[in-house]
Each structure stands twice: as structure tokens, then as C-alpha cells.
Amino acid sequence: MAIAAMPRGGADARPVPIPHPTGSAAPPTGPDARFASSDTPATGSGAVPTTARARLIGSLTRSQQITAGVIVAAALLLAAVGLYLSFEHVATFAHERLRFRTLDKARLFTVGVDVGILVLIALDLLMAWLRRPIGWVRYPVWLLTGVTVVLNAASAAPLTGPWTGMDYIAGFAHGVVPVLFIVVVEVGKTSVDRIVRPAADQAAARVPLHRWFLAPFPTFALWRRMRLWAVPTYAEAVRRDQDLRVYRVMLERRYGRGWRRKAPADVRLPLTMAPYGLTIDEALALPRQAEEREAALREAKEAAQAAAEARAADRAAQAQIARLRTAGKVQAAQHEVEASTQQAAITARAELVATERAAEVEAKALAAAAAAEAEARRAAAVKKAADDRAAAAEQERHAAELEADAAEQRQRAAVVQEREAAAALRRAQAEEAAKTALENTAAAEARAAEHRLRAAELERRAVELEDEARLSQRERAVRKLARLVLEHAGDVEALPLETVTDLFSVSKSTASDYRREAAELIRTGYRPEGI
């Protein structure tokens, strides 16, 4: 859910989204997208494009170009005159009064000072032309120029006696040319700076001086945020401050006077993070980013736990298979030993009976019976050994089944790994989608900046036409209201009176008259140029 405030008039007017407690506000779309904030990106290299410079020079008329050339020639002539006069006066004064032993050394001193001033001035102008101005260079220039002024004025001082009025006039006359030269240089530097940089770029990174006098404490807070959190321009800082103020008003409108207590923490997050340099959109995106990070960590933890369980099950199955194989081998060996022992005992007993009763026929029968019994028992032992081998084979089969179960567990682990890979792919796709969304947002911001620039130009042309027509303040207000309605392609009757009263700071009755007169003006065919 988003609540949008009516624009207050100006290129930077735009709605401020108020998120629903259960989620953050989506970026503005449709007609509201053109109000998205953006700063015009600066040229990457910092140099003035050749086409812009040529367009600027080409915009001058022939007369203006001739005038500019004459001014430059006159400035160079003034510099030559100033250097000549300064050289003569200072060289003589340095030789006679500053204890330079020879006139040549005094002239070298004068040349050094003058050349130093010229080099620093040329460097200052060059760096200003390259849009890389060095602010502190002008201070050595002023210092050396001040030294030249003092030396020129001192050269006119009387050798003996008190100063008279004419002495002061002479000192002023000796120092006025260097002062005039440095003023011309400062004007030239400012002109160069305005040629290579638009006025908006020059004032973009500094707070206007009048704001410090009109609102010192809020201005200090705004300046502090710009320096601490690298807000690029003053306009961007003002836009953020306006957004926060509108955001507070919208919160109070939605939750009432106790909005600080009633509004959810996520909704109050932009106000909490504003001192740390975050915009409203960035602050509202923090909960969603935190949830995405937690979800990613949770998925990774679940995948790692599943893989660990699969590895533990595989190890347990291998251990159980080894135990079953060992138990089967031991049991088979025990059965074989018991069968061999019983067969040896039966054979010995039969031989003993056959020896004792060799003479008797019954002994033969007994021996035959014992032999038959021994054969039966041996057959039983052989059968038992076969049964034991069958049991061992059954155990082997059971071990094979456990091996198959282990293979299935390994297959499940492979499936888990595939799911991990799929999750990583989804995260990569989500990051790519986020990157695309950022690019789309940047394009929308660029379009919004172009729209604001066009709106500001239309407003400027309308104000110029109103100035030429010498309209009254009421007529200007009515036309401004009509332009606002025409620009947003809306119905003037649908415009709330509260918005008009807030826009022009008038009563509701006057606002109603403004709205009626604006509707009549639109019906009579009022269409500003460009709308």
C-alpha cells in the first residue's frame, strides 16, 4: 500500500511510499515512476565534452565574441602595464631601501615575485579550465600580490618626515594597479569556471550561504549528513530531507498522532536509519534483505545436516556389514571343528570294539552297526555343515541387502547435493534478477531526471511570460495551479482543497476560488508551451 502526497510545485516533487506493515512498498510504476528521484550523472572523466564546449562557443553572437576578445586583450594589456610599473618601482625600492647590494639583484627579486604570481595564476586558470580546480592556489597568489602592493606603496613613502595626505594618495596610486590586476584575474577565473561547469554543478556540492543564516541548526545537521555519509550533492541531501518530512506526515496521517507508538518497527525504519545516510527505499529494503540472508543460511544449514545424516547412515551400514561377515565366518569355523571332532571320536570307538571282539561274530555285527552309526552321524555332521554354509550364504545375502541400502543412501546424498546445486543456481538467478532490477531502476531515475529538467524549464518559461505580462500574484497562482493540473493530466475539480491551501498558503475559500479560476482558464484554452 502506498500513499502519495500531491506535488508541491517544482521539478523535484514526487510521492513518498508508505509501506504496509507486512511488507515494503514496491517501486513506483506507471505515472508515478516519473517522480522517482535521481541526480544527473556526472561525466566520468570530469572533462567538459567537446560538443558541449563547441555548442557554448557557437551560442555566442559575433558581437559577443568580438567583445570577449577585446576584454581578453585589455586584460593582457593591464597585466603588462601592472608588471612594468611594479617592476620599476619595486626594483628601485628593493635596491635602495631593502639592502639589495646591486640593482641587478633587486631586479631579479622583482622578476621572481612577478613570475611567481603569473605562474600561479596560469596554473589556477588551467586547472579551472580542466574542471580540476585547486582551491588553495589563490591564497599564495593573494599573498604575493599583497606583497607587491605593499612594496609598491612603500616605494612612494617619504624618506623623512611624517606622512602627508599626498603621500597616502601616492601610496594608493602605486598599489592600485596590482589590486586591479588580481581582481581581473579572479573575474577571469570565475568566468572560466562558469564556462566549463554549469551553475548547477558548481553549487551542487556545497550548502548555500543563505541557508546557514535562515536555519543554522537544521543546516548543520544536513551538512553533517552530507560529509559523514558521502551524499554527493546538496540537492540530493535536500531531497532526502524533504522525503523524510513527507514520510513523517504520511505516517501521522495513517496512524494518527501516536504514530511513533502505533507504527510497526519496519515502517519506522527509514526514520531510524536516516542519520546513517540511508534513503527511504534503502531502509525499507533492509528487512527483505535480512529475510533473504536468513533463508539462504537456513537452506544451507538444512542441506549440510541432510548430507551429514546421509554420511552417518552410510558409515553405520558399512560397520553392520563388516560385523555380519565376521560373525558368519566364525560360526562356520565352529561347525567344521565340531564335525571333525565327532568323526574322530566315533572312528576310535569303532576300532576299539573291533579289536576287543575280533573273534566274535557279534563283534563284526556290532562293528558294522557302529560303522553304520558312524556313517549316519558323519552324514548328519555333513548335513549340519551344509546347513551352516546355507546360513552363512543367508547372512551374505543380508549383507548384500545392507550394501544395497547403503548405495540407496549414497544416491539420496547425491540427490541432496543436486538440490544444493539447484538452490545455488536459483540464488544466482535471483542475484541476476536483482541486478536487472537495479539497471531498470537506474533507467527510470534517468527518465525522471529528464522529466524534472523539462518541468523546470517549462516553469521558468511560464514565469518569464508572466513577468512580461505583468500579472498579479493571484493570476500567477491561478496559472501555476492550471499548469500543475495540465502536467498531470487530471481534473481540477478532483484536486483536494487541502492540497491547494498547502501549496499557496491560503484559506479554503481562496483555494476554492483559485481552483474555479484555474478550471475556467483551462476551459478557455490555456495551454503553456511544452505541455
Side-chain angles (χ1 to χ4, degrees):
M1 175 180 180
I3 302 175
M6 192 70 183
R8 292 170 292 177
D12 290 336
R14 61 199 168 279
V16 177
I18 303 298
H20 194 274
T22 59
S24 60
T29 58
D32 293 338
R34 55 185 175 182
F35 295 107
S37 63
S38 175
D39 288 330
T40 304
T43 305
S45 61
V48 179
T50 304
T51 55
R53 189 179 305 158
R55 186 165 57 250
L56 176 62
I57 296 175
S59 63
L60 298 177
T61 63
R62 181 65 178 173
S63 300
Q64 291 173 341
Q65 294 178 1
I66 294 174
T67 304
V70 171
I71 291 173
V72 172
L76 294 177
L77 179 61
L78 176 63
V81 172
L83 291 176
Y84 173 76
L85 294 177
S86 175
F87 178 79
E88 289 295 330
H89 295 156
V90 174
T92 303
F93 178 77
H95 174 57
E96 295 177 355
R97 307 284 293 276
L98 298 183
R99 300 177 183 177
F100 282 86
R101 299 197 176 197
T102 62
L103 184 58
D104 292 337
K105 292 183 179 180
R107 289 174 177 173
L108 286 176
F109 164 73
T110 306
V111 170
V113 173
D114 292 340
V115 171
I117 293 174
L118 291 176
V119 170
L120 290 176
I121 289 173
L123 179 62
D124 195 14
L125 292 175
L126 176 62
M127 297 309 293
W129 182 258
L130 296 177
R131 296 188 68 183
R132 295 290 188 273
I134 304 175
W136 58 267
V137 172
R138 63 178 58 187
Y139 302 120
V141 173
W142 294 350
L143 177 62
L144 292 175
T145 305
V147 171
T148 303
V149 172
V150 171
L151 293 177
N152 276 275
S155 65
L159 298 178
T160 59
W163 282 60
T164 63
M166 187 57 66
D167 293 331
Y168 287 106
I169 294 175
F172 174 77
H174 279 71
V176 69
V177 175
V179 172
L180 182 60
F181 173 67
I182 202 64
V183 170
V184 171
V185 169
E186 287 296 323
V187 172
K189 179 187 175 182
T190 304
S191 301
V192 170
D193 195 44
R194 291 187 178 182
I195 289 174
V196 299
R197 287 195 303 166
D201 289 347
Q202 296 176 27
R206 64 175 182 269
V207 179
L209 184 62
H210 65 271
R211 185 183 176 98
W212 290 98
F213 291 100
L214 296 178
F217 296 107
T219 301
F220 175 77
L222 183 141
W223 174 84
R224 180 176 179 271
R225 285 196 298 272
M226 289 176 63
R227 292 299 179 268
L228 284 180
W229 307 109
V231 179
T233 61
Y234 166 72
E236 173 68 15
V238 171
R239 182 188 64 78
R240 294 187 183 185
D241 189 63
Q242 290 176 343
D243 287 347
L244 286 175
R245 293 176 185 272
V246 174
Y247 194 81
R248 290 191 186 96
V249 173
M250 292 299 101
L251 287 179
E252 183 176 358
R253 177 182 177 185
R254 178 173 179 177
Y255 295 101
R257 294 186 177 274
W259 62 269
R260 294 182 183 275
R261 183 182 66 259
K262 298 177 182 179
D266 289 350
V267 175
R268 290 184 281 108
L269 196 57
L271 303 179
T272 305
M273 302 306 296
Y276 302 100
L278 270 68
T279 63
I280 294 178
D281 293 336
E282 291 171 347
L284 292 176
L286 290 178
R288 185 180 67 255
Q289 294 173 358
E291 292 176 358
E292 291 176 354
R293 286 195 297 269
E294 291 177 358
L297 291 176
R298 188 165 52 251
E299 291 178 1
K301 185 176 180 181
E302 291 176 356
Q305 184 177 1
E309 292 176 355
R311 288 194 295 270
D314 189 14
R315 288 195 297 269
Q318 294 292 342
Q320 187 175 1
I321 290 170
R323 286 195 300 271
L324 291 174
R325 287 179 177 175
T326 303
K329 292 178 180 179
V330 171
Q331 198 172 19
Q334 289 177 350
H335 290 316
E336 289 180 359
V337 170
E338 290 179 358
S340 300
T341 302
Q342 291 178 359
Q343 184 175 2
I346 293 171
T347 304
R349 193 165 48 252
E351 291 177 352
L352 180 59
V353 171
T355 304
E356 291 177 351
R357 300 179 179 178
E360 299 177 359
V361 177
E362 293 83 357
K364 293 179 181 180
L366 288 173
E373 183 181 357
E375 186 65 25
R377 290 181 179 179
R378 188 178 66 81
V382 171
K383 182 179 180 183
K384 187 175 182 181
D387 294 339
D388 292 339
R389 285 194 295 272
E394 181 65 22
Q395 291 177 352
E396 287 288 342
R397 185 183 63 78
H398 184 61
E401 292 178 354
L402 292 177
E403 182 70 24
D405 293 339
E408 185 178 357
Q409 293 291 339
R410 287 193 294 272
Q411 185 177 3
R412 291 179 180 176
V415 172
V416 170
Q417 292 177 355
E418 291 179 357
R419 290 179 179 175
E420 292 178 358
L425 180 59
R426 288 195 298 273
R427 288 194 295 272
Q429 292 175 350
E431 293 176 356
E432 183 67 23
K435 181 178 179 182
T436 304
L438 289 177
E439 293 176 353
N440 294 336
T441 302
E445 291 178 352
R447 292 193 297 272
E450 182 179 358
H451 173 77
R452 290 198 304 274
L453 181 61
R454 176 176 171 271
E457 181 64 21
L458 293 177
E459 183 68 19
R460 183 185 65 79
R461 289 203 297 269
V463 171
E464 289 177 355
L465 293 175
E466 292 171 357
D467 291 339
E468 293 177 358
R470 297 182 178 179
L471 300 180
S472 64
Q473 189 66 28
R474 181 185 185 93
E475 291 173 337
R476 291 171 184 263
V478 170
R479 279 164 173 75
K480 183 175 182 180
L481 183 60
R483 287 195 301 274
L484 180 63
V485 174
L486 289 174
E487 182 181 358
H488 295 286
D491 185 9
V492 67
E493 298 300 331
L495 188 65
L497 285 178
E498 290 77 5
T499 302
V500 181
T501 57
D502 293 341
L503 182 61
F504 299 103
S505 300
V506 297
S507 63
K508 287 189 176 180
S509 61
T510 305
S512 178
D513 294 339
Y514 280 8
R515 193 172 64 176
R516 185 179 64 257
E517 292 176 9
E520 181 64 25
L521 188 63
I522 293 173
R523 282 194 296 271
T524 57
Y526 175 72
R527 291 295 185 276
E529 181 182 355
I531 296 182

